[in-house]
Amino acid sequence: HPPPQYSNRYILGLALHDVLALPIFKQEDPQLSPDTKLPPFQYVLCAATSPAVKLHEETLTYLNQGQPYEVQLLENRRTGSNSDLNTKYVKTIIRVVFHDRRLQYTEHQQLEGWRWSRPGDRILDIDIPLSVGVLDPRANPTQLNAVEFLWDPSQRASAFIQVHCISTEFTARKHGGEKGVPFRIQVDTFKQNENGEYTEHLHSASCQIKVFKPKGADRKQKTDREKMEKRTAQEKEKYQPSYVTTVLAECSPWPDASYISNTPSPSHNSSPRSFIIRDGNGSPAYQEDPLPASSDHLLLTASLQDTQQWLHRNRFSAFCRLFSSFSGADLLKMSKEDFIQVCGPADGIRLFNAIKGRNIRPRLTIYVCQEPEESRPCQQQTRENAEGPLCVYHAIFLEELTTTELTEKIANLYSISPQQINQIYRHGPTGIHVLVSDKMVQNFADEACFVIHTVKADTSDGYHIILK
């Protein structure tokens, strides 16, 4: 401990010196050859680790509620791991998440409960005046436990974060003095993609923490230190030394689709016909190959590698080694009892539901078919077995019951841009065209069938859709 007259900057300087003395930062370490690839970034939380952690276990760091703690953002330039970085800035997202998997499963409910009990408060904040090299810091009002910002890896950067919730706020509180739940600080860094969006994942790391009321972390650290001093030298060898700072360990990226990827939402439609404009003055048909439907269900044909990636995406990384020799077919053959026996009750049931769970039934299903070249309706062609193009209907599944959703689903079905559809009308009595509104969509009969007729718009390059 430095004398009281020394400043906080002196303490942080010692902290950084202590971190750089660790083996992972020693370039002269014989175990690290010149070809050894280090992670592109390193994140250091300037708070001491607990001495009461056994060897081969993850470090545990105690924090005080509301106190600013520095997170240093370091780039490993020695191996040139960021030589392919094509942008000056990168985006980093810092989250406080649950360590306990049972709480991860109910994270949304837990955070909503905290929001109601602490209206107007945030779980995680960034102290902007103290932070260095941080640009465009943001805290989404709907994500109380996350902050994000840009920074230049070639410059010194550090963000001071404040955690406002304490570990005992998420315990049962049946009797006093119970232990609080551990949290995780997760840091994810992204670079720009071809569209200039920060969605291309570069690196992720995390560490385990517990948050106490003000001064509580200092008392807990002191208690752990006194307990260790009372142990024999042989017992002390079973525990890790306490470091001045906490180096975050590499981990899987946080499975947040809005940051991790731009893949479209799963589509229920398969192999739709091209959208053909039959008007004489219409432009050529827009025939772009439709995007493949994406689904996060584990497939029967999934290989060993595909199964491992699926486990990572769905936050089952802890079981990747356990199921390293399992294919998709192997996991799909397992029963709920098998998963419970292997993974325990909570994780076993969660993994079983993720693998065997069925899609939620859509609120409304309608069927549409593009009007054939002949003027006769499809039903008449079917009855007469006439030669010509077969009338094939495609299912459209609606969840929001809005005209916007209907427009997007029709555009996706026929592989055109939603902007090309100006309006959607319904063929009404005596041949009039009735503008389709949200209320009309909500009153569509489930599994209703429509024939789609297209009309070229007079004032633009778009088209009108008529549901007959």
Side-chain angles (χ1 to χ4, degrees):
H1 297 282
Q5 65 268 25
Y6 285 90
S7 66
N8 289 334
R9 287 294 174 186
Y10 175 87
I11 299 174
L12 295 177
L14 289 178
L16 183 58
H17 181 272
D18 184 74
V19 170
L20 297 177
L22 294 174
I24 59 174
F25 288 100
K26 290 184 178 179
Q27 297 186 13
E28 66 274 11
D29 195 317
Q31 296 180 354
L32 292 179
S33 65
D35 297 332
T36 302
K37 186 175 181 179
L38 291 176
F41 301 100
Q42 195 79 44
Y43 316 114
V44 180
L45 173 64
C46 293
T49 61
S50 168
V53 177
K54 291 185 177 181
L55 294 173
H56 311 299
E57 289 185 359
E58 187 177 7
T59 60
L60 177 61
T61 304
Y62 303 131
L63 303 183
N64 289 315
Q65 179 187 26
Q67 179 176 329
Y69 289 91
E70 183 179 15
V71 177
Q72 296 176 346
L73 309 164
L74 309 172
E75 181 190 18
N76 289 332
R77 284 183 170 274
R78 185 177 69 87
T79 59
S81 56
N82 277 344
S83 58
D84 60 340
L85 200 62
N86 54 6
T87 57
K88 180 178 181 181
Y89 298 106
V90 295
K91 174 193 262 188
T92 288
I93 304 168
I94 302 179
R95 294 178 177 86
V96 172
V97 295
F98 289 112
H99 175 77
D100 193 313
R101 293 192 189 91
R102 289 172 298 178
L103 291 174
Q104 290 176 10
Y105 187 58
T106 60
E107 180 179 280
H108 178 72
Q109 294 89 332
Q110 296 286 343
L111 296 184
E112 282 299 310
W114 191 89
R115 184 200 301 268
W116 281 102
S117 63
R118 301 272 297 273
D121 289 348
R122 290 187 54 83
I123 290 178
L124 181 66
D125 265 328
I126 180 170
D127 194 320
I128 298 176
L130 289 178
S131 301
V132 177
V134 170
L135 304 175
D136 195 21
R138 296 183 181 183
N140 192 322
T142 62
Q143 294 180 323
L144 304 180
N145 61 330
V147 295
E148 62 181 58
F149 51 85
L150 304 179
W151 60 286
D152 183 356
S154 64
Q155 304 292 329
R156 177 183 170 228
S158 61
F160 280 77
I161 61 171
Q162 299 168 289
V163 183
H164 297 292
C165 64
I166 58 177
S167 294
T168 53
E169 289 187 86
F170 298 96
T171 54
R173 298 181 179 272
K174 293 181 180 178
H175 42 282
E178 71 266 324
K179 295 181 180 179
V181 299
F183 301 128
R184 302 196 68 77
I185 289 181
Q186 168 124 1
V187 182
D188 300 283
T189 298
F190 307 87
K191 70 176 182 178
Q192 286 180 310
N193 60 13
E194 297 176 352
N195 300 324
E197 301 169 335
Y198 290 92
T199 55
E200 191 168 336
H201 178 257
L202 287 173
H203 185 246
S204 294
S206 67
C207 68
Q208 184 182 194
I209 63 169
K210 277 191 175 182
V211 186
F212 296 81
K213 290 183 179 180
K215 304 294 183 181
D218 306 315
R219 290 192 293 268
K220 178 61 176 172
Q221 187 79 358
K222 180 181 178 182
T223 301
D224 285 358
R225 189 167 56 248
E226 292 174 348
K227 287 181 179 180
M228 291 304 300
E229 290 173 354
K230 295 178 182 179
R231 296 182 182 273
T232 63
Q234 187 176 3
E235 291 177 330
K236 289 180 181 179
E237 292 178 355
K238 300 178 182 178
Y239 291 84
Q240 301 181 22
S242 175
Y243 293 102
V244 178
T245 55
T246 304
V247 179
L248 277 65
E250 281 194 289
C251 66
S252 302
W254 190 253
D256 189 339
S258 62
Y259 295 111
I260 303 304
S261 67
N262 285 333
T263 51
S265 58
S267 172
H268 298 275
N269 307 313
S270 60
S271 304
R273 295 170 60 190
S274 300
F275 192 83
I276 303 171
I277 303 300
R278 295 176 292 102
D279 245 334
N281 58 347
S283 59
Y286 187 92
Q287 299 187 16
E288 182 179 304
D289 291 337
L291 292 172
S294 62
S295 173
D296 210 27
H297 287 286
L298 184 63
L299 301 178
L300 191 67
T301 56
S303 63
L304 299 181
Q305 184 178 3
D306 294 336
T307 304
Q308 291 289 302
Q309 293 175 354
W310 184 90
L311 290 170
H312 273 296
R313 288 196 307 271
N314 290 271
R315 296 167 61 183
F316 294 107
S317 303
F319 303 105
C320 284
R321 181 176 298 178
L322 184 63
F323 295 116
S324 58
S325 59
F326 282 64
S327 65
D330 296 329
L331 286 182
L332 287 167
K333 291 176 184 177
M334 296 177 63
S335 65
K336 182 187 290 187
E337 290 70 24
D338 294 332
F339 284 113
I340 292 175
Q341 184 176 0
V342 173
C343 308
D347 291 320
I349 294 174
R350 188 165 70 93
L351 182 52
F352 173 80
N353 291 337
I355 290 178
K356 303 292 181 68
R358 297 180 179 179
N359 287 331
I360 299 175
R361 179 178 173 84
R363 295 177 62 186
L364 178 65
T365 302
I366 64 174
Y367 300 97
V368 298
C369 169
Q370 187 173 354
E371 189 174 42
E373 295 295 335
E374 291 78 7
S375 59
R376 291 181 299 171
C378 294
Q379 294 84 348
Q380 184 179 350
Q381 285 191 29
T382 304
R383 286 195 301 267
E384 298 177 3
N385 294 324
E387 295 183 358
L390 179 66
C391 293
V392 178
Y393 282 81
H394 298 281
I396 291 182
F397 302 94
L398 300 178
E399 302 288 350
E400 302 173 0
L401 304 185
T402 62
T403 53
T404 302
E405 182 188 19
L406 180 62
T407 302
E408 292 175 351
K409 292 292 176 70
I410 292 177
N412 180 60
L413 177 64
Y414 291 104
S415 303
I416 67 171
S417 169
Q419 284 72 32
Q420 288 185 273
I421 301 178
N422 290 356
Q423 295 289 354
I424 296 183
Y425 301 94
R426 185 170 183 180
H427 197 268
T430 67
I432 65 173
H433 296 157
V434 183
L435 182 65
V436 174
S437 63
D438 292 348
K439 196 71 175 177
M440 185 183 295
V441 175
Q442 294 165 11
N443 284 279
F444 278 165
D446 195 22
E447 298 191 348
C449 299
F450 298 101
V451 176
I452 288 182
H453 174 69
T454 57
V455 177
K456 181 77 170 62
D458 296 331
T459 57
S460 67
D461 294 333
Y463 301 93
H464 300 301
I465 300 294
I466 302 171
L467 303 178
K468 302 173 69 174

